[in-house]
């Protein structure tokens, strides 16, 4: 139902559908969904908006989620900072925006991508990695509002998935070339390429 703007939350122990975010999470397709690190908030992106949901109550029917804030820009991918204060979003306009979660306000925008940003992921502190439409992974420095010197180039097509391991030492990327690539975040060197998918790696 993500294509129609609905979001459902499932119980992983019973595999039963629990809460449905009402009335509809978004008017059109939902592009990205992320739980906050503490599990008490939910971020969703679609129909040119980013919504921050918060648990409002728990009953016998499950947890009820209500919209806490609505941000005015859409996105393809969302990523929360390790400190839980900021949310990064990458969108089709080629910009990466950083939002203050508590205020629901944009605090910074980096427009140095110059390509559709289908993925964003926080590394640590002032560092974000973003994936561009041409298959590059760009390291962004929020302090300087620009990109770092080295761009990671191994994917041959658009990148749709980026993830950082909890210790911050490893970056994993996947995309339309059907490959999953593992990177060292310190040296920015390729560790290994995982092949075997017969279709796009989306997330």
């Amino acid at each position: 139902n993500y294509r129609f703007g609905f979001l459902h939350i499932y119980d992983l122990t019973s595999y039963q559908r629990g809460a449905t975010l009402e009335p509809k999470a978004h008017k059109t397709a939902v592009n990205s969904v992320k739980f906050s690190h503490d599990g008490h908030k939910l971020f969703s992106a679609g129909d040119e908006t980013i919504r921050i949901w918060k648990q409002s109550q728990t009953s016998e029917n499950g947890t009820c989620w209500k919209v806490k804030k609505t941000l005015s820009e859409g996105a393809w991918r969302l990523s929360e900072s390790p400190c839980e204060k900021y949310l990064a979003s990458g969108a089709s306009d080629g910009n990466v925006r950083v939002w203050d979660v508590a205020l629901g306000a944009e605090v910074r925008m980096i427009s140095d991508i110059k390509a559709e940003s289908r993925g964003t992921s926080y590394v640590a502190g002032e560092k974000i990695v973003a994936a561009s439409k041409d298959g590059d992974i760009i390291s962004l420095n929020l302090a300087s509002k620009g990109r770092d010197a080295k761009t990671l180039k191994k994917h041959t097509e658009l990148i749709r998935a980026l993830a950082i391991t909890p210790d911050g030492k490893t970056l994993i990327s996947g995309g339309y070339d059907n490959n999953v690539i593992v990177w060292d975040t310190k040296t920015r060197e390729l560790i290994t390429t995982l092949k075997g998918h017969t279709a796009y790696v989306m997330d």
Side-chain angles (χ1 to χ4, degrees):
N1 287 330
Y2 75 94
R3 291 177 296 173
F4 305 104
F6 291 104
L7 283 178
H8 305 298
I9 298 177
Y10 287 80
D11 187 318
L12 293 181
T13 57
S14 65
Y15 299 103
Q16 298 296 312
R17 192 169 78 185
T20 298
L21 280 60
E22 300 286 359
K24 284 179 70 174
H26 294 275
K27 296 178 182 177
T28 56
V30 179
N31 297 322
S32 182
V33 180
K34 294 287 183 183
F35 274 105
S36 61
H37 297 309
D38 63 13
H40 297 305
K41 293 185 294 296
L42 183 69
F43 309 109
S44 64
D47 64 23
E48 300 305 317
T49 62
I50 300 169
R51 287 187 170 176
I52 303 173
W53 305 78
K54 190 173 183 180
Q55 294 178 358
S56 61
Q57 64 184 48
T58 302
S59 67
E60 60 182 10
N61 296 321
T63 301
C64 181
W65 295 79
K66 297 292 184 183
V67 176
K68 183 181 179 183
K69 293 186 183 297
T70 299
L71 312 180
S72 60
E73 294 289 340
W76 282 103
R77 284 294 182 268
L78 302 171
S79 178
E80 187 186 28
S81 64
C83 67
E84 303 181 13
K85 184 176 180 180
Y86 300 109
L87 182 72
S89 64
S92 58
D93 61 5
N95 297 321
V96 171
R97 290 176 170 83
V98 180
W99 308 85
D100 185 303
V101 174
L103 298 176
E106 181 183 317
V107 295
R108 193 163 298 170
M109 182 177 73
I110 298 177
S111 56
D112 198 30
I113 305 298
K114 297 183 177 65
E116 184 173 2
S117 181
R118 291 287 183 112
T120 58
S121 188
Y122 261 92
V123 179
E126 295 287 290
K127 300 280 188 174
I128 291 178
V129 288
S132 68
K133 188 177 181 179
D134 55 9
D136 292 346
I137 299 174
I138 302 162
S139 179
L140 304 174
N141 190 322
L142 299 183
S144 64
K145 299 185 180 181
R147 70 171 68 188
D148 287 350
K150 187 169 183 178
T151 298
L152 307 182
K153 294 177 176 283
K154 282 296 179 182
H155 284 283
T156 57
E157 296 190 46
L158 183 148
I159 298 171
R160 283 296 302 266
L162 284 177
I164 301 287
T165 54
D167 61 10
K169 295 180 179 180
T170 308
L171 168 68
I172 304 167
S173 59
Y176 281 12
D177 58 6
N178 303 351
N179 293 330
V180 174
I181 299 179
V182 183
W183 308 85
D184 185 306
T185 57
K186 184 176 181 179
T187 65
R188 303 184 191 180
E189 297 296 331
L190 183 148
I191 298 174
T192 188
T193 299
L194 306 177
K195 298 178 180 287
H197 285 283
T198 57
Y200 300 157
V201 180
M202 303 290 285
D203 208 348

